[in-house]
Amino acid sequence: MHKKVAIIGGGIAGLWSAWELARQGIDSTVVERSAFLGGHVAGFACKATDRCRRCGACLLEDVLQNVTKSDRISSLLRAEVFKIEKTNGGFDLTVSQKPQRIFPEKCTDCGDCEANCPVPGALVRSPLTNQLSVDEEVCLFYKDGSCRACLEACTAGAVKLDGAVQDIQLNPSAVILATGFKPFDPTNKPRFGYGRIPGVVAAPELDSMLRRDNWPGDRRMRSIAFIQCVGSRDAKIGRNYCSRVCCGYAMRLARLLKYRFPEVEPSMFYMDIQTYDRDFDRRLAEAAREVRLVRAIPSEVRLGPDGSPEVIYHGPEDHRLSESFDMVVLSVGISPHAADLFGALAGLSYNRDGFLGADGEGVTTGQEGVFVAGTTQGPRSISETVSHAISAAAAVSSYLGNSR
Ligand SMILES: Cc1cc2nc3c(=O)[nH]c(=O)nc-3n(C[C@H](O)[C@H](O)[C@H](O)COP(=O)(O)OP(=O)(O)OC[C@H]3O[C@@H](n4cnc5c(N)ncnc54)[C@H](O)[C@@H]3O)c2cc1C
Ligand code: SF4
Ligand code: SF4
Ligand code: SF4
């Protein structure tokens, strides 16, 4: 029998697993919940300054090209698995797929739909490919049927607002779970003022501003504070692990800011700078010439008398200090996804940090034929995710070989 693999999640872990399986002659279907492939990495800006800063984000473009060209890989977008059952030879998966709303093969990218849409955020674009889709949670057509403006504006016939959800049946011999992570929600640390104090943002929001060239250009933004370990290494909220990527991420963002806007003065408040990257110590010493490093985790961010955020922290000899900034960036960590989907699979194991699978680098899940790849299993960087996905594909290949 021809063996196929179902990969749930089309982030870099899912895509790389699919590509690695394809290289070994194994077909797969990637089931992705959102309208676009790429997961979180699709939203990351290139962090190159005068040279590449090795953030890893462009690894996504490489694998996406390979996946798109491969005839061994198919993908289902806007699709979610809602039932998984074990059979004799593998699994029965029931996938529910919402219809596509904007067809890229017809879209001429004229922008008429966006120009006529009355609701900001109803039409969304992939940050990576710029393709359009409709967010049904926001669009008026799906709320109360009161708008069809994009459909009427599109002379290319690329927009289709009606069409029913379809159920699709997959019968894979093995499954890879690659549903990724959730960034820590900073409203769960109210003392840092996120959503309450103007000028306090989460790191991915700053990244998206830089990606879209949306930085305030009036030189108001000079002093920027990064606060590390927001939602990581914090036993009080049940997250006693390091997210591994935030120190490098914040450092690259700070240096990119300084490079693009030399007037910016970045400061970084940290507990310990984590050094998982091979070359990190050398790069840290280099970065310290451009970024002021303050070894203290602030106790609070509050609204200063001039309306800007004020960071309260304890300095040397435990003196209580306060400092005003134009912007405070919270380096939010990696949290496990709610295990809703996995509830359908009995016998899955979770590791000590609440991610799926065993502790360490393993790719097994406690359920025969079901493997895990990337940040579904634990915090890791893009390049670590790629290595983990390659291991997952190797384990699947050997499982399929052994179960022939
Ligand atoms: C703030 C922040 C900054 C970071 N910066 C860097 C950096 O500079 N460099 C670096 O190396 N790493 C960085 N990382 C880590 C990087 O984001 C991860 O290594 C990478 O995204 C992991 O890819 P993934 O495929 O495991 O997960 P994800 O990127 O989360 O992809 C998972 C995919 O699965 C889909 N999905 C979820 N649930 C379902 C479902 N039920 N059904 C179908 N599909 C589903 C999602 O829509 C998504 O497309 C950062 C992380 C954070 C939080
Ligand atoms: S690794 Fe990062 S910094 Fe380097 S070119 Fe790629 S995206 Fe840019
Ligand atoms: S109006 Fe139609 S062709 Fe123009 S960008 Fe929108 S979907 Fe594409
Ligand atoms: S139907 Fe209206 S609200 Fe919805 S995406 Fe189209 S223009 Fe925007």
Side-chain angles (χ1 to χ4, degrees):
M1 195 179 87
H2 181 60
K3 302 205 170 178
K4 271 195 116 180
V5 178
I7 299 173
I8 307 179
I12 194 155
L15 295 174
W16 214 286
S17 305
W19 170 234
E20 198 55 30
L21 287 171
R23 279 165 25 107
Q24 295 177 37
I26 300 170
D27 293 351
S28 67
T29 302
V30 177
V31 180
E32 167 56 44
R33 177 158 69 183
S34 74
F36 312 112
L37 294 171
H40 287 96
V41 180
F44 295 163
C46 165
K47 307 294 184 309
T49 53
D50 54 336
R51 65 198 133 102
C52 167
R53 291 290 169 195
R54 300 203 351 217
C55 71
C58 53
L59 288 171
L60 178 62
E61 284 173 49
D62 297 347
V63 75
L64 205 50
Q65 272 189 15
N66 292 335
V67 164
T68 317
K69 279 191 223 140
S70 171
D71 51 15
R72 291 206 172 275
I73 305 170
S74 54
S75 52
L76 297 172
L77 296 176
R78 290 162 56 82
E80 267 189 86
V81 174
F82 68 88
K83 202 158 138 209
I84 305 184
E85 276 168 358
K86 204 145 174 89
T87 60
N88 265 344
F91 300 87
D92 272 348
L93 261 71
T94 313
V95 178
S96 146
Q97 188 180 31
K98 291 183 192 156
Q100 212 167 359
R101 299 300 178 204
I102 299 193
F103 292 85
E105 60 281 10
K106 289 191 176 168
C107 174
T108 59
D109 205 15
C110 65
D112 289 350
C113 52
E114 288 166 306
N116 285 280
C117 177
V119 189
L123 285 160
V124 287
R125 280 187 182 268
S126 155
L128 191 66
T129 60
N130 219 26
Q131 265 177 30
L132 277 158
S133 184
V134 175
D135 183 341
E136 287 158 28
E137 305 278 307
V138 184
C139 166
L140 296 177
F141 180 83
Y142 301 99
K143 268 200 176 138
D144 53 16
S146 64
C147 180
R148 298 162 68 85
C150 54
L151 183 73
E152 284 155 10
C154 179
T155 50
V159 181
K160 190 168 185 292
L161 296 173
D162 52 7
V165 171
Q166 245 196 323
D167 282 356
I168 296 167
Q169 213 60 41
L170 301 177
N171 304 100
S173 306
V175 176
I176 297 180
L177 300 175
T179 50
F181 68 94
K182 269 191 321 190
F184 177 74
D185 175 358
T187 56
N188 291 323
K189 294 292 284 181
R191 64 190 170 97
F192 291 140
Y194 181 81
R196 194 165 46 81
I197 298 176
V200 178
V201 301
E205 293 167 59
L206 170 61
D207 198 319
S208 141
M209 276 183 218
L210 292 171
R211 183 173 187 119
R212 288 190 273 134
D213 283 330
N214 213 4
W215 183 251
D218 55 6
R219 301 198 166 223
R220 265 183 306 126
M221 291 291 170
R222 288 180 74 92
S223 57
I224 315 284
F226 288 82
I227 300 181
Q228 295 307 106
C229 297
V230 177
S232 309
R233 307 173 79 197
D234 190 341
K236 279 194 209 130
I237 51 164
R239 289 194 163 72
N240 208 8
Y241 55 85
C242 169
S243 288
R244 298 179 68 95
V245 294
C246 336
C247 289
Y249 182 61
M251 198 61 90
R252 288 188 195 99
L253 276 173
R255 298 186 79 182
L256 180 59
L257 272 175
K258 184 87 193 152
Y259 179 73
R260 288 212 206 154
F261 314 101
E263 71 277 10
V264 164
E265 288 159 8
S267 300
M268 189 181 290
F269 291 86
Y270 72 104
M271 218 185 286
D272 272 319
I273 297 284
Q274 289 300 329
T275 57
Y276 296 105
D277 285 357
R278 254 184 298 139
D279 231 8
F280 196 87
D281 286 334
R282 184 183 57 77
R283 284 190 283 128
L284 178 64
E286 234 179 71
R289 293 199 282 271
E290 293 165 36
V291 182
R292 174 180 156 239
L293 295 172
V294 185
R295 192 163 194 170
I297 287 293
S299 54
E300 190 188 353
V301 178
R302 65 184 183 200
L303 188 64
D306 63 350
S308 52
E310 196 173 65
V311 173
I312 314 295
Y313 65 103
H314 289 262
E317 293 164 26
D318 216 21
H319 286 137
R320 190 168 180 275
L321 302 170
S322 81
E323 213 175 314
S324 273
F325 290 91
D326 296 324
M327 182 185 271
V328 171
V329 182
L330 306 179
S331 283
V332 291
I334 287 180
S335 303
H337 241 318
D340 48 353
L341 153 74
F342 310 137
L345 281 169
L348 292 179
S349 56
Y350 289 84
N351 57 41
R352 62 170 177 245
D353 297 327
F355 294 85
L356 183 71
D359 290 332
E361 292 297 302
V363 295
T364 53
T365 61
Q367 169 76 264
E368 201 191 331
V370 182
F371 299 84
V372 60
T375 49
T376 316
Q377 193 269 348
R380 35 178 60 83
S381 69
I382 296 167
S383 56
E384 290 168 337
T385 294
V386 168
S387 308
H388 200 242
I390 292 172
S391 302
V396 168
S397 166
S398 132
Y399 170 77
L400 294 183
N402 291 340
S403 65
R404 235 165 236 153

